[in-house]
Amino acid sequence: MGGWDSLGQYKISLDSVAAWRDFHREGLAAMEQGDGYRACELLDKAVAASPTDVDAQRQLAELLWREGRHDAAIEHIEEAVKLEPQDAPTVVRAGEMYLAVGQAN
């Protein structure tokens, strides 16, 4: 493969990046406006568009936690830790979540 085929793949990649950026930005705006439900929905889309976005993973984990959706929050904070295992605040937050639900790991 090469030539025009690779350009098609590149466009899909650019579309995905643009979608991720929009979802992430709008999710943060919804958070600032106090609309947790909408923020979760948008950050979930941002994570789906870019699963390696550690910031979106962390932010979504926090929103889910505040909504009482602890299992889902822990899944996202675990993913954030996998993506940035040296980030102390993320690792500490994961530990706090585990302790809060009685899962000291």
Side-chain angles (χ1 to χ4, degrees):
M1 283 216 178
W4 294 109
D5 290 334
S6 63
L7 287 177
Q9 291 172 346
Y10 183 67
K11 181 180 183 336
I12 291 169
S13 177
L14 288 178
D15 290 345
S16 178
V17 169
W20 160 80
R21 185 180 53 233
D22 290 344
F23 291 138
H24 196 186
R25 186 183 66 242
E26 291 173 22
L28 294 178
M31 268 178 37
E32 289 175 5
Q33 295 167 357
D35 189 351
Y37 178 81
R38 181 85 174 123
C40 278
E41 184 178 79
L42 290 162
L43 288 173
D44 191 47
K45 289 180 180 181
V47 166
S50 180
T52 59
D53 178 11
V54 70
D55 290 330
Q57 293 281 2
R58 276 190 296 249
Q59 291 156 344
L60 182 55
E62 285 301 329
L63 284 168
L64 292 166
W65 187 262
R66 286 186 222 149
E67 288 189 350
R69 297 170 56 192
H70 297 157
D71 290 342
I74 288 172
E75 287 178 28
H76 287 284
I77 202 69
E78 284 175 345
E79 190 59 33
V81 169
K82 287 178 192 171
L83 293 168
E84 281 190 5
Q86 301 301 319
D87 184 63
T90 302
V91 173
V92 168
R93 185 62 180 131
E96 292 170 344
M97 289 180 179
Y98 288 133
L99 285 173
V101 297
Q103 294 180 11
N105 288 348

